[in-house]
Amino acid sequence: MDRYSRHRSLVTDEAWARLCGTTCVIVGVGGLGSTVVSLLARLGPVRLDIWDPGIVDEPDLNRQLLYGASDLGAQKAVVAAVGIGLMNPAATVGSRCQAFSAQAYAEAVRDDGPPPSTVLFDCVDNIAARREIEESRRRWDVPVFHGAVEAWWGQVATLLPDGGGYESIYGADWSQAPPEQEGGRPIMPHVVTTIASAQIGEFLRWIEKPDLANAAHSLWYFDGRRLESTTVRLGPGTGAGG
Amino acid sequence: MNGTVSIRGFGPLEEVVPDGTVTLELPATSAAIRTALEARWPALSGVGYSLAVDQTIVGADEMVTDAGEIALLPPFAGG
């Protein structure tokens, strides 16, 4: 039996080819990123490019599923790459122990730009990194699968090249973005895995239909305490702030 | 004219703005609606949130002519 036999029949041949031919840039392999890369690696012989400057700290172990006690103090990007290699040796993994920035990414892809069919997964834990992702999204016209969490809640959105960007989520000039929190934000583990799984769900919808209008221009909110969710539409170029 | 609109705070804002209704004068800009909501619930002032009118996030100074439901959605940033 093929290792993908339990889900291969659920996607079209065209979608499968797109899955195998897409380069997935994972920005951050903390809580969201751990689950995102694990699910991607199990989906198929994917191409992953992992960016994370961090090391594994003890508070990470409540939700960052790639890591265990023996990984404390190790570089997340390195441990993640090793773990993915064990999960699926057919996956191609590049790991960079550095913070993602628009300039660093431009240098990484050099003059040719990103490989055809590149997507970014926003799995970061701060607004400054999202500003860098947004700059790259605009420069290279790549889709971004955005996820974010805090406490009992989280959100998911797909930002396509021809749609609105982060201003539709965080307000014009990022005016509605929450302030950074020293020592990290409180986060309930099941919310993290739910949001990361929803990012993969959005990615699969894009794989099936890259111009999917339904997934783009909408924001999915999840409440992990009430176990409720709601979807709202994002107007193109909406500045949510006031 | 004054209208009764369902109101909902999402996530941490559910404790600031309990599910219920609010009376608003419409049409109004989204900025005016924010001002009215923050006058009623002062704890909203200084908190970042998006305003969704009938499941659509409205822009910073967009005119709202009619509304059945308004949701207050604070964006999250952790990972």
Side-chain angles (χ1 to χ4, degrees):
Chain A
M1 292 285 284
D2 185 279
R3 67 169 289 156
Y4 311 119
S5 61
R6 299 298 291 269
H7 66 272
R8 172 63 185 87
S9 63
L10 300 176
V11 298
T12 64
D13 291 344
E14 292 78 11
W16 181 255
R18 200 172 296 119
L19 171 70
C20 299
T22 296
T23 298
C24 299
V25 180
I26 319 298
V27 187
V29 276
L32 294 173
S34 282
T35 298
V36 162
V37 296
S38 298
L39 293 177
L40 286 172
R42 291 169 195 279
L43 275 175
V46 292
R47 300 175 188 171
L48 305 178
D49 181 13
I50 296 170
W51 294 65
D52 197 309
I55 61 171
V56 181
D57 285 328
E58 202 154 14
D60 298 336
L61 301 182
N62 82 324
R63 67 198 184 284
Q64 301 187 13
L65 301 185
L66 279 174
Y67 315 119
S70 63
D71 300 315
L72 290 173
Q75 289 281 351
K76 289 183 183 178
V78 173
V79 178
V82 171
I84 293 162
L86 293 172
M87 275 178 221
N88 187 353
T92 304
V93 188
S95 65
R96 302 169 197 270
C97 301
Q98 67 181 105
F100 182 92
S101 71
Q103 182 177 345
Y105 186 62
E107 290 170 358
V109 298
R110 301 208 173 95
D111 297 336
D112 295 337
S117 193
T118 289
V119 301
L120 293 178
F121 281 86
D122 165 6
C123 302
V124 299
D125 63 358
N126 64 87
I127 294 299
R130 290 194 171 91
R131 287 175 178 264
E132 299 292 334
I133 293 172
E134 174 69 351
E135 192 174 331
S136 293
R137 185 188 78 86
R138 291 185 182 278
R139 175 168 181 182
W140 303 110
D141 283 341
V142 291
V144 170
F145 298 95
H146 158 78
V149 291
E150 181 161 351
W152 294 89
W153 309 287
Q155 68 199 28
V156 170
T158 300
L159 307 175
L160 295 182
D162 59 350
Y166 282 91
E167 76 279 1
S168 57
I169 300 171
Y170 292 109
D173 299 324
W174 305 83
S175 58
Q176 303 303 308
E180 304 300 342
Q181 284 189 20
E182 199 162 332
R185 303 170 193 282
I187 296 175
M188 196 55 83
H190 76 288
V191 174
V192 175
T193 52
T194 300
I195 292 299
S197 297
Q199 288 178 271
I200 296 299
E202 286 283 87
F203 173 65
L204 288 170
R205 292 171 72 176
W206 177 82
I207 286 290
E208 288 278 4
K209 289 187 177 180
D211 59 347
L212 191 66
N214 193 31
H217 314 306
S218 69
L219 187 62
W220 185 72
Y221 275 83
F222 172 68
D223 184 329
R225 187 162 57 184
R226 291 186 173 189
L227 292 185
E228 293 177 354
S229 66
T230 188
T231 302
V232 294
R233 290 181 294 276
L234 302 170
T238 298
Chain B
M1 68 176 182
N2 286 336
T4 301
V5 179
S6 295
I7 187 96
R8 181 185 178 193
F10 191 85
L13 292 185
E14 73 184 31
E15 294 174 3
V16 176
V17 181
D19 291 0
T21 59
V22 63
T23 301
L24 294 174
E25 188 164 333
L26 298 176
T29 65
S30 54
I33 291 173
R34 278 176 178 268
T35 300
L37 296 178
E38 289 168 16
R40 167 117 182 231
W41 293 287
L44 284 175
S45 301
V47 176
Y49 62 91
S50 300
L51 210 56
V53 176
D54 296 332
Q55 286 80 51
T56 298
I57 291 182
V58 295
D61 207 19
E62 194 171 319
M63 183 61 71
V64 176
T65 56
D66 193 18
E69 179 194 69
I70 290 179
L72 281 60
L73 307 166
F76 307 112

